[in-house]
Short mmCIF file of all heavy atoms in Angstrom, two decimals:
data_model
loop_
_atom_site.label_atom_id
_atom_site.label_comp_id
_atom_site.label_asym_id
_atom_site.label_seq_id
_atom_site.Cartn_x
_atom_site.Cartn_y
_atom_site.Cartn_z
N ASP A 54 -63.16 295.08 -67.82
CA ASP A 54 -64.45 295.55 -67.34
C ASP A 54 -64.27 296.51 -66.18
O ASP A 54 -63.35 296.38 -65.38
CB ASP A 54 -65.32 294.38 -66.87
CG ASP A 54 -65.77 293.50 -68.02
OD1 ASP A 54 -65.59 293.93 -69.18
OD2 ASP A 54 -66.29 292.41 -67.76
N ILE A 55 -65.17 297.49 -66.10
CA ILE A 55 -65.18 298.42 -64.97
C ILE A 55 -66.36 298.07 -64.09
O ILE A 55 -67.49 297.95 -64.57
CB ILE A 55 -65.30 299.87 -65.45
CG1 ILE A 55 -64.09 300.24 -66.31
CG2 ILE A 55 -65.40 300.83 -64.28
CD1 ILE A 55 -64.17 301.61 -66.90
N THR A 56 -66.14 297.90 -62.80
CA THR A 56 -67.22 297.51 -61.89
C THR A 56 -67.85 298.74 -61.25
O THR A 56 -67.24 299.81 -61.18
CB THR A 56 -66.70 296.58 -60.79
OG1 THR A 56 -65.67 297.27 -60.06
CG2 THR A 56 -66.14 295.31 -61.38
N GLY A 57 -69.09 298.59 -60.81
CA GLY A 57 -69.75 299.64 -60.05
C GLY A 57 -70.35 300.75 -60.88
O GLY A 57 -70.63 301.84 -60.36
N LEU A 58 -70.57 300.53 -62.16
CA LEU A 58 -71.16 301.56 -63.00
C LEU A 58 -72.68 301.49 -62.95
O LEU A 58 -73.26 300.47 -62.60
CB LEU A 58 -70.71 301.37 -64.45
CG LEU A 58 -69.23 301.56 -64.73
CD1 LEU A 58 -68.97 301.40 -66.21
CD2 LEU A 58 -68.75 302.91 -64.26
N PRO A 59 -73.38 302.60 -63.32
CA PRO A 59 -74.84 302.54 -63.42
C PRO A 59 -75.28 301.45 -64.38
O PRO A 59 -74.57 301.09 -65.32
CB PRO A 59 -75.19 303.93 -63.97
CG PRO A 59 -74.07 304.80 -63.54
CD PRO A 59 -72.84 303.93 -63.60
N SER A 60 -76.49 300.94 -64.17
CA SER A 60 -76.95 299.75 -64.90
C SER A 60 -77.11 299.99 -66.39
O SER A 60 -77.11 299.06 -67.18
CB SER A 60 -78.29 299.28 -64.33
OG SER A 60 -79.26 300.30 -64.44
N ASP A 61 -77.26 301.26 -66.83
CA ASP A 61 -77.48 301.52 -68.25
C ASP A 61 -76.19 301.81 -69.00
O ASP A 61 -76.21 302.17 -70.17
CB ASP A 61 -78.46 302.68 -68.45
CG ASP A 61 -77.93 304.01 -67.94
OD1 ASP A 61 -76.97 303.98 -67.13
OD2 ASP A 61 -78.46 305.05 -68.34
N ASP A 62 -75.05 301.68 -68.36
CA ASP A 62 -73.80 302.08 -68.99
C ASP A 62 -73.03 300.93 -69.63
O ASP A 62 -72.25 301.14 -70.55
CB ASP A 62 -72.89 302.79 -67.97
CG ASP A 62 -73.36 304.21 -67.71
OD1 ASP A 62 -74.05 304.78 -68.56
OD2 ASP A 62 -73.04 304.72 -66.64
N TYR A 63 -73.21 299.71 -69.15
CA TYR A 63 -72.55 298.54 -69.71
C TYR A 63 -71.05 298.76 -69.86
O TYR A 63 -70.44 298.44 -70.88
CB TYR A 63 -73.17 298.16 -71.04
CG TYR A 63 -74.64 297.86 -70.93
CD1 TYR A 63 -75.57 298.71 -71.49
CD2 TYR A 63 -75.09 296.73 -70.24
CE1 TYR A 63 -76.93 298.46 -71.38
CE2 TYR A 63 -76.44 296.48 -70.12
CZ TYR A 63 -77.36 297.34 -70.70
OH TYR A 63 -78.69 297.09 -70.58
N ASP A 64 -70.45 299.38 -68.86
CA ASP A 64 -69.01 299.59 -68.74
C ASP A 64 -68.48 300.80 -69.49
O ASP A 64 -67.97 301.70 -68.90
CB ASP A 64 -68.23 298.34 -69.14
CG ASP A 64 -68.20 297.33 -68.01
OD1 ASP A 64 -68.95 297.48 -67.04
OD2 ASP A 64 -67.41 296.40 -68.12
N ARG A 65 -68.57 300.85 -70.79
CA ARG A 65 -67.96 301.95 -71.52
C ARG A 65 -69.02 302.69 -72.32
O ARG A 65 -69.87 302.10 -72.96
CB ARG A 65 -66.90 301.43 -72.49
CG ARG A 65 -65.94 302.48 -72.96
CD ARG A 65 -64.88 302.77 -71.92
NE ARG A 65 -64.09 301.61 -71.63
CZ ARG A 65 -64.04 301.02 -70.42
NH1 ARG A 65 -64.71 301.50 -69.42
NH2 ARG A 65 -63.31 299.96 -70.22
N ASN A 66 -68.97 304.01 -72.31
CA ASN A 66 -69.92 304.83 -73.04
C ASN A 66 -69.13 305.78 -73.93
O ASN A 66 -68.53 306.74 -73.44
CB ASN A 66 -70.80 305.62 -72.07
CG ASN A 66 -72.27 305.52 -72.42
OD1 ASN A 66 -72.62 305.67 -73.58
ND2 ASN A 66 -73.11 305.32 -71.41
N VAL A 67 -69.12 305.52 -75.22
CA VAL A 67 -68.34 306.32 -76.17
C VAL A 67 -69.31 307.14 -77.03
O VAL A 67 -70.24 306.58 -77.63
CB VAL A 67 -67.46 305.44 -77.07
CG1 VAL A 67 -66.68 306.30 -78.06
CG2 VAL A 67 -66.51 304.60 -76.22
N ARG A 68 -69.12 308.46 -77.06
CA ARG A 68 -69.94 309.33 -77.89
C ARG A 68 -69.02 310.15 -78.78
O ARG A 68 -68.16 310.89 -78.30
CB ARG A 68 -70.78 310.28 -77.03
CG ARG A 68 -71.91 309.61 -76.22
CD ARG A 68 -71.51 309.30 -74.82
NE ARG A 68 -72.63 308.75 -74.04
CZ ARG A 68 -73.01 309.23 -72.87
NH1 ARG A 68 -72.38 310.26 -72.34
NH2 ARG A 68 -74.00 308.67 -72.22
N LEU A 69 -69.20 310.02 -80.08
CA LEU A 69 -68.37 310.71 -81.07
C LEU A 69 -69.25 311.55 -81.98
O LEU A 69 -70.20 311.04 -82.57
CB LEU A 69 -67.59 309.70 -81.92
CG LEU A 69 -66.78 308.62 -81.20
CD1 LEU A 69 -66.15 307.68 -82.22
CD2 LEU A 69 -65.73 309.23 -80.29
N GLY A 70 -68.95 312.83 -82.09
CA GLY A 70 -69.70 313.70 -82.98
C GLY A 70 -68.78 314.61 -83.76
O GLY A 70 -67.78 315.10 -83.22
N GLY A 71 -69.11 314.83 -85.01
CA GLY A 71 -68.29 315.75 -85.80
C GLY A 71 -68.25 317.13 -85.17
O GLY A 71 -67.20 317.78 -85.15
N VAL A 72 -69.36 317.59 -84.62
CA VAL A 72 -69.44 318.90 -83.96
C VAL A 72 -69.46 318.74 -82.44
O VAL A 72 -68.68 319.37 -81.73
CB VAL A 72 -70.67 319.68 -84.44
CG1 VAL A 72 -70.78 321.03 -83.71
CG2 VAL A 72 -70.58 319.93 -85.95
N ILE A 73 -70.37 317.89 -81.91
CA ILE A 73 -70.52 317.72 -80.46
C ILE A 73 -70.60 316.23 -80.15
O ILE A 73 -71.37 315.49 -80.78
CB ILE A 73 -71.80 318.41 -79.95
CG1 ILE A 73 -71.83 319.89 -80.35
CG2 ILE A 73 -71.93 318.28 -78.43
CD1 ILE A 73 -73.17 320.56 -80.12
N GLY A 74 -69.85 315.78 -79.17
CA GLY A 74 -69.91 314.39 -78.77
C GLY A 74 -71.19 314.06 -78.03
O GLY A 74 -71.90 313.11 -78.36
N MET A 75 -71.52 314.86 -77.00
CA MET A 75 -72.70 314.61 -76.16
C MET A 75 -73.22 315.92 -75.61
O MET A 75 -72.44 316.75 -75.12
CB MET A 75 -72.32 313.67 -75.01
CG MET A 75 -73.30 313.60 -73.86
SD MET A 75 -74.73 312.60 -74.26
CE MET A 75 -75.58 312.58 -72.67
N TYR A 76 -74.55 316.11 -75.70
CA TYR A 76 -75.16 317.29 -75.07
C TYR A 76 -76.42 316.88 -74.34
O TYR A 76 -77.26 316.16 -74.87
CB TYR A 76 -75.51 318.37 -76.09
CG TYR A 76 -76.05 319.61 -75.41
CD1 TYR A 76 -75.19 320.51 -74.80
CD2 TYR A 76 -77.42 319.85 -75.33
CE1 TYR A 76 -75.67 321.63 -74.12
CE2 TYR A 76 -77.92 320.96 -74.66
CZ TYR A 76 -77.03 321.85 -74.06
OH TYR A 76 -77.51 322.96 -73.40
N GLU A 77 -76.57 317.37 -73.09
CA GLU A 77 -77.77 317.12 -72.31
C GLU A 77 -78.04 318.32 -71.42
O GLU A 77 -77.13 318.87 -70.80
CB GLU A 77 -77.63 315.86 -71.45
CG GLU A 77 -76.43 315.88 -70.52
CD GLU A 77 -76.32 314.62 -69.67
OE1 GLU A 77 -77.31 313.88 -69.58
OE2 GLU A 77 -75.23 314.39 -69.12
#
Side-chain angles (χ1 to χ4, degrees):
D54 291 349
I55 298 176
T56 59
L58 295 183
S60 60
D61 65 342
D62 283 337
Y63 301 110
D64 280 12
R65 198 79 61 243
N66 227 315
V67 179
R68 291 96 176 232
L69 309 177
V72 178
I73 305 169
M75 165 77 174
Y76 184 79
E77 56 180 344

